[in-house]
């Protein structure tokens, strides 16, 4: 059923890659202002606007009161002077965006399953606090977000406005990372974790079972394969416009170059392998810091997505 739905969505979106078909969903979007070259770059992912419901002001519970499987992945957010927070991918898989506030910092914690892209943004822009939802559209298989204030569209993998009032604007990316629940809980016994949302969803289940094992992404992606014989769904660590293949980091254990230090940080279950996330194949966790040991904003994304959004980026192959 998923394969049929994907194929139908691709065919439908190819016929409707035109703002005139989107204005009924987004009446306040300024489609005359855009940074993308061709509307055909944007496809329907199947669900319409808010069909994947973003969350706002989520309930948080103490680490000691949570009962999550130890290997399940979470997005860890540890802002200076604030209580560390964990956002389980078992929830983000079904909601993709969490609008939250950590102390005085309004944040958007995001996860695009089709690109394995987990990014946290500061929601402040030019003195205004934005909040985000899911358009239901994809570009290069990556989630297109929208802000509720202007209905501008944003590319999740880059934090960049692509359509509307804020086309060309850039959100600030905050340091966060994916790791296992037990690693977060052991380091932060006094921390907080997002509680289970009150939605009828199969939390803990992966609707994209087997995605990690595919040779190519789903047909939402029609771009080029990555260069250097890097597999399309290989994970890479992106810092700015550089990408380090995770298999290189696995071989070397630690890499320090270009002012970046990458360190292996244990294992976590892949959110995109088996049907049940807790029992899925393990993938490496990584910590990314600068030369002074401070956390660096980064992403661990699939190689095809890095090549799509950073076609002139540097591949840090170590050769």
């Amino acid at each position: 059923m998923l394969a049929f739905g994907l194929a139908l969505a691709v065919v439908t979106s190819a016929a409707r890659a035109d703002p005139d078909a989107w204005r009924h969903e987004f009446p306040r979007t300024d489609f005359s202002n855009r940074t993308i070259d061709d509307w055909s770059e944007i496809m329907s992912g199947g669900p319409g606007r808010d069909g994947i419901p973003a969350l706002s002001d989520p309930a948080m519970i103490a680490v000691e009161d949570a009962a999550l499987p130890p290997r399940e992945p979470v997005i860890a957010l540890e802002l200076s002077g604030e209580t560390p927070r964990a956002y389980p991918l078992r929830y983000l898989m079904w909601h993709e965006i969490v609008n939250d506030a950590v102390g005085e910092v309004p944040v958007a914690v995001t996860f695009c399953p089709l690109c394995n892209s987990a990014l946290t943004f500061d929601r402040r822009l030019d003195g205004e606090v934005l909040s985000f939802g899911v358009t239901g559209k994809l570009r290069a298989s990556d989630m297109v977000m929208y802000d509720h204030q202007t209905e501008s569209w944003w590319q999740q993998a880059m934090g960049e406005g692509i359509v509307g009032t804020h086309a060309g604007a850039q959100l600030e990316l905050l340091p966060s990372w994916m790791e296992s629940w037990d690693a977060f809980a052991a380091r932060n016994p006094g921390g907080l974790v997002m509680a289970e949302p009150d939605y009828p969803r199969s939390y803990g289940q992966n609707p994209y079972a087997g995605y990690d094992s595919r040779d190519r992404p789903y047909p939402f992606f029609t771009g080029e394969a990555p260069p250097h014989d890097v597999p399309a769904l290989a994970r890479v660590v992106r810092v700015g416009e550089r990408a380090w293949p995770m298999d290189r980091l696995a071989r070397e254990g630690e890499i320090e170059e270009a002012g970046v230090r990458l360190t292996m940080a244990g294992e976590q279950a892949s959110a995109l392998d088996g049907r049940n996330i807790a029992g899925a194949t393990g993938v490496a966790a990584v910590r990314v810091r600068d030369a002074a040991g401070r956390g660096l904003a980064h992403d661990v994304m699939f190689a095809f997505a890095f090549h799509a959004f950073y076609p002139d980026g540097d591949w840090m192959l170590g050769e």
Side-chain angles (χ1 to χ4, degrees):
M1 288 298 293
L2 177 60
F4 175 77
L6 291 170
L8 180 62
V10 171
V11 171
T12 302
S13 64
R16 300 181 63 220
D18 186 319
D20 289 339
W22 299 328
R23 285 193 174 94
H24 72 285
E25 284 186 293
F26 294 92
R28 294 192 292 120
T29 301
D30 180 4
F31 288 101
S32 69
N33 193 28
R34 57 173 169 159
T35 61
I36 58 175
D37 294 329
D38 193 318
W39 290 118
S40 65
E41 296 176 36
I42 297 177
M43 293 186 173
S44 170
R49 171 178 172 160
D50 299 324
I52 297 173
L55 301 173
S56 293
D57 303 317
M60 307 295 290
I61 60 176
V63 162
E64 62 182 5
D65 294 331
L68 292 170
R71 297 177 63 251
E72 278 203 8
V74 301
I75 298 175
L77 181 60
E78 300 181 3
L79 299 185
S80 178
E82 301 296 339
T83 302
R85 296 189 176 207
Y87 300 83
L89 261 61
R90 61 164 39 219
Y91 308 141
L92 278 156
M93 180 75 73
W94 300 92
H95 296 281
E96 299 192 359
I97 300 173
V98 179
N99 297 289
D100 200 4
V102 182
E104 298 298 316
V105 182
V107 301
V109 182
T110 71
F111 177 61
C112 176
L114 298 185
C115 291
N116 195 63
S117 181
L119 295 169
T120 301
F121 302 104
D122 189 322
R123 293 192 283 118
R124 294 172 292 193
L125 181 72
D126 298 332
E128 183 179 24
V129 177
L130 304 178
S131 59
F132 294 92
V134 181
T135 62
K137 310 295 186 286
L138 299 169
R139 178 169 171 249
S141 214
D142 181 62
M143 167 178 47
V144 177
M145 313 186 297
Y146 77 96
D147 68 69
H148 296 113
Q149 286 68 34
T150 70
E151 294 190 355
S152 296
W153 292 11
W154 299 80
Q155 194 70 60
Q156 182 265 351
M158 305 175 76
E160 179 182 308
I162 58 172
V163 177
T165 302
H166 293 311
Q170 183 70 50
L171 297 172
E172 180 185 355
L173 180 61
L174 300 174
S176 63
W177 57 93
M178 287 192 285
E179 64 181 350
S180 67
W181 164 245
D182 62 348
F184 177 88
R187 191 176 62 256
N188 298 298
L192 297 171
V193 59
M194 188 173 80
E196 182 170 311
D198 186 19
Y199 279 81
R201 298 292 188 274
S202 299
Y203 297 124
Q205 300 297 303
N206 165 27
Y208 311 98
Y211 191 49
D212 270 355
S213 302
R214 291 177 60 91
D215 293 329
R216 286 188 56 81
Y218 293 130
F220 296 117
F221 181 74
T222 58
E224 298 177 345
H228 312 296
D229 293 323
V230 177
L233 276 81
R235 288 171 168 83
V236 300
V237 183
R238 180 188 69 82
V239 183
E241 296 191 9
R242 293 187 174 96
W244 285 263
M246 282 291 288
D247 61 355
R248 178 190 169 194
L249 180 58
R251 290 193 305 270
E252 300 182 22
E254 183 171 271
I255 298 172
E256 191 163 355
E257 59 190 11
V260 177
R261 185 174 59 180
L262 299 90
T263 308
M264 297 291 286
E267 185 188 78
Q268 59 191 315
S270 170
L272 298 168
D273 173 49
R275 180 69 63 187
N276 182 276
I277 296 175
T281 300
V283 294
V286 59
R287 292 298 303 274
V288 181
R289 300 178 176 90
D290 63 16
R294 295 169 298 209
L296 277 178
H298 67 280
D299 193 8
V300 178
M301 65 197 316
F302 288 134
F304 79 84
F306 175 75
H307 184 52
F309 293 112
Y310 300 94
D312 299 320
D314 294 324
W315 291 84
M316 310 299 285
L317 305 177
E319 298 175 349

